[in-house]
Amino acid sequence: MSEIIKTNTEYSKWIKEVSLRFRNSQIKAATKVNREMLLFYWSIGHDISENYNEVKYGKSFFKNLSLDLQDALPDVKSFSVTTLKYMKYFYDLYNNSNRQQLVDDSDTRICQQAVDDCIFMIPWGHHIQIINKCKGNLDKALFFVKKTYENNWSRAVLLNFLDTNLYEKEGKAITNFEKLLPDIGSDLAREITKDPYNFDFLTLREGYDEKELKDALMDNIQKFLLELV
């Protein structure tokens, strides 16, 4: 710590503001990556559900799809059979026709865009747990998506509440999607910025070397900075 920051209040305040702006930019960048990754997973889920599936290509479809995508994209580790099935579950649960029916039939009018934004804001690992626990129940799934988003729940906290009767007690309270970003320093922000799925999406694996890191940064940082303006 410099002497200036100890003695000059204006300078010290500015350093804090810069730090805050940096953290905000980190979260914006991470949530943008997370959103793009989930939109990609959604598109794969759509393709599988609507066009390319076991009915058309046989019982070994997912195994073959996993092998072929890993051959086509060897730097990406997210194309396991299990993950590909979850992409389909993700699409099937939240697809537009299901959500439009929910909007039309609910006593409380829901902003479609707000629901969309919230679905694509939380980490993939959270979605997996919601899919597992909600068993195709869209109302319940959206309830826990909203609660996660509102309260900045980590995956562990989400899992704890999924094992309770919170949804049954509070009902279909899925309106008022007000926040734009997770709170700085919250468990949700921390998990989004450190989500290994996001690093895999950017082909930044845990064991990356210096050249790989430099190449990935050069490919992606300019895009992020332009979108943050």
Side-chain angles (χ1 to χ4, degrees):
M1 183 182 295
S2 71
E3 290 299 320
I4 302 175
I5 199 170
K6 296 177 183 178
T7 59
N8 190 301
T9 303
E10 181 181 0
Y11 176 83
S12 176
K13 182 180 179 182
W14 177 61
I15 293 297
K16 291 178 181 178
E17 289 173 351
V18 170
S19 300
L20 184 62
R21 293 205 307 267
F22 178 80
R23 296 300 181 193
N24 267 316
S25 293
Q26 276 190 317
I27 293 173
K28 286 181 180 179
T31 53
K32 177 65 176 176
V33 172
N34 188 71
R35 177 179 175 80
E36 291 300 319
M37 183 187 72
L38 291 180
L39 285 169
F40 172 72
Y41 285 2
W42 174 279
S43 72
I44 297 299
H46 167 272
D47 291 348
I48 294 171
S49 188
E50 303 294 335
N51 299 305
Y52 306 96
N53 48 54
E54 292 167 302
V55 174
K56 189 172 184 179
Y57 293 100
K59 293 182 180 180
S60 298
F61 166 71
F62 279 101
K63 179 180 178 180
N64 292 328
L65 178 62
S66 175
L67 291 171
D68 292 335
L69 285 175
Q70 289 182 64
D71 284 342
L73 298 164
D75 292 333
V76 181
K77 309 302 180 186
S78 298
F79 293 127
S80 68
V81 169
T82 299
T83 301
L84 288 167
K85 287 182 177 180
Y86 272 111
M87 291 178 193
K88 181 181 183 297
Y89 302 152
F90 179 57
Y91 172 78
D92 288 342
L93 179 59
Y94 297 116
N95 75 70
N96 291 328
S97 59
N98 286 346
R99 285 181 287 130
Q100 188 59 50
Q101 184 178 1
L102 178 66
V103 171
D104 292 342
D105 292 349
S106 177
D107 292 335
T108 303
R109 306 301 291 176
I110 304 167
C111 175
Q112 186 75 32
Q113 185 61 50
V115 174
D116 289 346
D117 288 345
C118 198
I119 288 171
F120 295 108
M121 182 67 73
I122 70 174
W124 177 242
H126 287 59
H127 277 299
I128 289 174
Q129 300 306 324
I130 291 171
I131 290 167
N132 287 340
K133 296 291 185 176
C134 294
K135 305 298 183 184
N137 185 332
L138 178 60
D139 290 336
K140 186 174 182 180
L142 286 175
F143 173 83
F144 280 105
V145 167
K146 176 184 180 276
K147 285 295 184 182
T148 297
Y149 183 55
E150 275 186 340
N151 300 299
N152 289 292
W153 285 347
S154 67
R155 197 182 311 173
V157 172
L158 170 63
L159 272 170
N160 180 66
F161 280 111
L162 281 167
D163 287 331
T164 70
N165 62 346
L166 181 66
Y167 169 70
E168 287 73 18
K169 288 171 59 178
E170 295 196 12
K172 301 174 185 179
I174 55 174
T175 56
N176 301 320
F177 293 82
E178 295 177 352
K179 291 193 308 172
L180 296 177
L181 288 172
D183 294 335
I184 293 177
S186 69
D187 289 339
L188 183 59
R190 188 175 301 111
E191 292 201 10
I192 289 175
T193 55
K194 296 184 178 180
D195 191 338
Y197 287 101
N198 288 339
F199 287 110
D200 186 62
F201 185 66
L202 295 174
T203 65
L204 271 176
R205 302 182 299 278
E206 184 177 357
Y208 58 77
D209 59 23
E210 184 175 345
K211 184 180 185 301
E212 186 176 9
L213 175 59
K214 181 179 178 181
D215 290 344
L217 290 174
M218 291 298 290
D219 287 341
N220 292 287
I221 195 64
Q222 185 177 9
K223 297 176 186 177
F224 292 149
L225 292 175
L226 289 172
E227 290 172 355
L228 295 177
V229 175

